[in-house]
Structures are given as structure tokens and as C-alpha cells.
Amino acid sequence: MTTRVVLIGAGLLAMAYAAGGALTDPGLDVRGVLLFLTGVLIAHDAVWMLAVLGTGAALARLVPPRHRPAVRAAAISAAALTVVAFPLVTGAGRAVDNPSVLPLPYGRNLAAVLLVIAAATLLTRLRRPRRGRPAAGRKKSERPGDQGPGPVDG
């Protein structure tokens, strides 16, 4: 709980700092900022969230229940990474006369990172759980294979 409070506090401080800096900037174009924020809101809620929910629904039908959390986390991570890397992969903004603007093979690097995400997900799913270790967050009577409280001797 304290970690959550610290993270929320840090986020609020960062937003207050950014808003204060923007409001004290003499060259602030309020309409441009509002247009940008509206576009971000629409892109997030109308595009990104629908894609995440649709992918989650599809994975719920295709992936066994015990593997769903890891596969969903991998899919969301891969999608977010791909969205961020897409302009670099396509070369948006690359000047033909200046090869040092985007000098790396971003498509190959993106593919490599996506393969690492897939391999890490596969390895976590193939790893066998240790026997004899109690399930985290469960009372003894709720653990699989436990018959619950036994007869009281006395």
C-alpha cells in the first residue's frame, strides 16, 4: 500500500511540475495543447484500449487459463513496444542526405526484442512449479490438495 501511495504522490508532483512549467511559459499555445491532449485521449480510449480489450478477449478464447496472465502481459508489452518503435522502423523523418539521423537497423532490433519477450514468456510457462511450496496468498485450507481442517483431537 505504501508503494502505491509513493508512486501516486510522485506522479502528482511530476504532473504539477509539468503544468506549472507549461502555464508559466510565455509562448504557450493553449488551443494547441488542448488539441494535442484531446487527440491523445481519443487515441488512447478509442484505439489503444479497444485493441487491448479485443486482444484480451481473443486470448481468453485461444489460451488456456493458467497461461493467460503471462501471454496477456507479453502481448501488451510487445504491442506497446511496437507502437513506440514504429516511427523508427519505418524511418519517419529520415533525411536521405544524412545517414546519421537514424543509423541503426531498427526493424531487426525490434524483431530481436519481440523474440526476447516471446522467449521469456515461453520459458516462464515451461518452468515447472516446485512441489511442497505453499501457494502464495492462500490459507492452508485453500491450497490445492489440502482437505481443510481435520478432526480435532482432544
Side-chain angles (χ1 to χ4, degrees):
M1 181 67 177
T2 58
T3 304
R4 181 179 293 175
V5 171
V6 169
L7 290 174
I8 290 172
L12 288 173
L13 285 174
M15 290 188 324
Y17 176 76
L23 293 175
T24 58
D25 183 12
L28 177 69
D29 179 18
V30 177
R31 289 188 312 188
V33 170
L34 291 176
L35 180 65
F36 172 77
L37 292 176
T38 302
V40 168
L41 179 68
I42 290 170
H44 181 271
D45 290 352
V47 178
W48 179 250
M49 286 309 299
L50 286 177
V52 168
L53 292 173
T55 302
L59 290 175
R61 292 178 177 257
L62 299 172
V63 178
R66 66 186 177 140
H67 298 305
R68 284 183 196 153
V71 172
R72 282 181 179 163
I76 290 171
S77 299
L81 180 68
T82 303
V83 166
V84 170
F86 188 73
L88 298 172
V89 171
T90 60
R94 180 178 294 160
V96 178
D97 59 342
N98 188 357
S100 66
V101 172
L102 295 172
L104 300 176
Y106 296 102
R108 184 192 71 197
N109 294 347
L110 174 63
V113 173
L114 292 176
L115 284 174
V116 168
I117 291 173
T121 304
L122 183 62
L123 287 175
T124 60
R125 296 294 85 206
L126 292 178
R127 183 186 55 158
R128 295 183 182 263
R130 291 187 217 151
R131 299 237 179 234
R133 198 173 86 194
R138 293 186 183 175
K139 294 186 264 181
K140 185 175 181 179
S141 62
E142 295 175 338
R143 293 183 189 144
D146 194 359
Q147 300 302 318
V152 178
D153 293 333

